[in-house]
Amino acid sequence: MVRVNAYAAPSATEPLVPTTIERRDVGATDVLIEIRYAGICHSDIHTVRGEWGPITYPQVVGHEIVGVVAEVGSEVTKHQVGDRVGVGCLVNSCRECENCRAGMEQYCLNGNVGTYASVDRDGTITQGGYSTHVVVDQDFVLRVPESIPFEKAAPLLCAGITTYSPLAHWKAGPGTRVAVVGMGGLGHMAVKIAHAMGATVTVLSQSLKKRDDGLALGADEYYATSDPDTFAALKNRFDLIVNTVSAPLDMDDYLRLLRLNGTLVIVGAPPEELPVHAFALSGQRRSFAGSGIGGIPETQEMLDFCAEHGIAPETELISADYINEAYERVLGSDVRYRFVIDIATLA
Ligand SMILES: [Zn+2]
Ligand SMILES: [Zn+2]
């Protein structure tokens, strides 16, 4: 075991504080990563505050991690000391079920192991990326292409893959019309990726406040959902709507914006139920769907796609002692568009 610096939540109601945690010894198939940058995801905040269920404290969160390989186990073949690597939302799964065998570890039928606040297969509670080091099995470590600026790469590991996966699955591309609901951490990545895939991209945001940003990031159109004319003007328009908002919206209003055979996919996670009226679906043979992060092969595919297309998240680099303030700003939608912690400030 090795003790490393970290920023942890001592309880659901207290601010995060600097501390030290233990990382396991590097096993035969493990990689020790010296973390350089970690993104702040909305899920981190829900988790430490116990909003997604009770957790064990102290808890270190962070599942948008990039760093450099510092040591490898004796049987590691996929990564070498000095490699630029990333870790996303998953650090383990059963590896045997049909979904794992198909490279969709996020849908592991025996339960995947999240990067933080999950019980790993050795019985320990996983601790995330707000830390100087992490030990991860080589199969859950991604390669981060050199052309992606390192200080911007971390948010690809959650916000990037969470939006890439549904866009790829529902075949966003030339000739398709994609709407992105919400212009936050996930939404701004959905805009960039859908645009790079060749789709016509429309942002549906509460107001026009971030309109200039949206158009600059690749959106073709930008509408305010607070304007009731928007829903009339865009009726039967889209092939795919990606909803990144984690607050309850009227799903029927959005379903009616889909054309024949269109799909509304949920990637945000509102704790409330989202009621849907049958006629909003059957009227144009529409689908209401959900999508969760991405598997390891698809996450690598997304990183390579972003490198090829010169895509990186818009980020604001912060020091570790700013995390609690950053949380308040995330909750107030006051970030353009992802906070990234400079882990050098934790060393
Ligand atoms: Zn996340
Ligand atoms: Zn499995």
Side-chain angles (χ1 to χ4, degrees):
M1 299 265 217
V2 51
R3 280 218 154 256
V4 301
N5 289 352
Y7 235 77
S11 76
T13 53
E14 289 168 278
L16 275 61
V17 292
T19 184
T20 60
I21 55 167
E22 282 184 340
R23 295 297 191 186
R24 69 171 182 256
D25 288 330
V26 178
T29 60
D30 281 338
V31 173
L32 171 68
I33 301 167
E34 197 180 286
I35 301 176
R36 295 291 166 81
Y37 301 99
I40 292 180
C41 175
H42 211 138
S43 307
D44 303 352
I45 306 174
H46 286 301
T47 300
V48 294
R49 297 188 174 178
E51 291 162 5
W52 283 348
I55 61 164
T56 307
Y57 296 95
Q59 179 66 53
V60 177
V61 289
H63 59 202
E64 295 180 335
I65 302 168
V66 296
V68 175
V69 175
E71 189 185 333
V72 296
S74 56
E75 289 167 26
V76 168
T77 54
K78 295 180 174 175
H79 308 282
Q80 292 183 337
V81 172
D83 284 356
R84 282 160 49 115
V85 293
V87 177
C89 305
L90 302 174
V91 289
N92 215 341
S93 71
C94 86
R95 306 167 189 229
E96 287 167 358
C97 72
E98 62 176 321
N99 293 348
C100 283
R101 285 202 312 268
M104 291 185 286
E105 301 87 353
Q106 79 273 37
Y107 303 126
C108 175
L109 297 169
N110 297 309
N112 65 53
V113 178
T115 301
Y116 55 72
S118 280
V119 181
D120 206 343
R121 302 200 109 72
D122 64 4
T124 59
I125 306 281
T126 55
Q127 302 284 347
Y130 301 0
S131 171
T132 55
H133 297 78
V134 65
V135 178
V136 180
D137 186 279
Q138 63 168 348
D139 290 341
F140 289 81
V141 176
L142 288 309
R143 296 181 306 279
V144 178
E146 291 288 337
S147 64
I148 301 174
F150 217 18
E151 72 281 4
K152 290 185 175 288
L156 293 174
L157 279 308
C158 175
I161 185 58
T162 300
T163 51
Y164 179 91
S165 185
L167 289 166
H169 180 76
W170 278 280
K171 300 188 167 54
T176 62
R177 297 184 205 140
V178 173
V180 175
V181 185
M183 254 293 280
L186 289 174
H188 96 287
M189 281 313 303
V191 169
K192 288 187 180 216
I193 293 168
H195 174 70
M197 288 174 167
T200 302
V201 183
T202 301
V203 176
L204 304 174
S205 184
Q206 226 172 358
S207 74
L208 297 178
K209 242 183 354 198
K210 297 175 182 168
R211 181 173 180 276
D212 291 347
D213 285 3
L215 298 179
L217 300 185
D220 299 280
E221 299 177 304
Y222 203 106
Y223 287 87
T225 54
S226 52
D227 179 353
D229 290 345
T230 291
F231 290 93
L234 299 177
K235 209 171 166 222
N236 298 325
R237 168 80 68 104
F238 301 108
D239 299 289
L240 178 64
I241 300 176
V242 179
N243 178 16
T244 70
V245 174
S246 55
L249 300 174
D250 185 329
M251 286 298 102
D252 286 353
D253 286 349
Y254 289 86
L255 284 166
R256 291 193 180 96
L257 305 185
L258 291 169
R259 69 199 291 193
L260 180 65
N261 297 330
T263 301
L264 167 57
V265 56
I266 303 289
V267 297
E272 298 84 0
E273 290 186 2
L274 297 171
V276 167
H277 197 279
F279 286 127
L281 292 167
S282 57
Q284 292 292 320
R285 196 163 60 189
R286 298 168 176 129
S287 300
F288 186 39
S291 177
I293 52 173
I296 298 302
E298 193 175 43
T299 303
Q300 189 62 57
E301 177 186 306
M302 175 277 306
L303 288 165
D304 295 342
F305 177 90
C306 289
E308 187 190 329
H309 292 271
I311 297 174
E314 302 298 309
T315 57
E316 194 173 322
L317 193 63
I318 63 167
S319 57
D321 59 10
Y322 190 77
I323 292 172
N324 292 302
E325 207 168 327
Y327 273 19
E328 294 312 312
R329 287 184 51 197
V330 169
L331 294 172
S333 301
D334 174 26
V335 49
R336 293 190 176 192
Y337 282 84
R338 205 61 148 179
F339 285 115
V340 171
I341 305 160
D342 182 355
I343 297 298
T345 63
L346 252 181

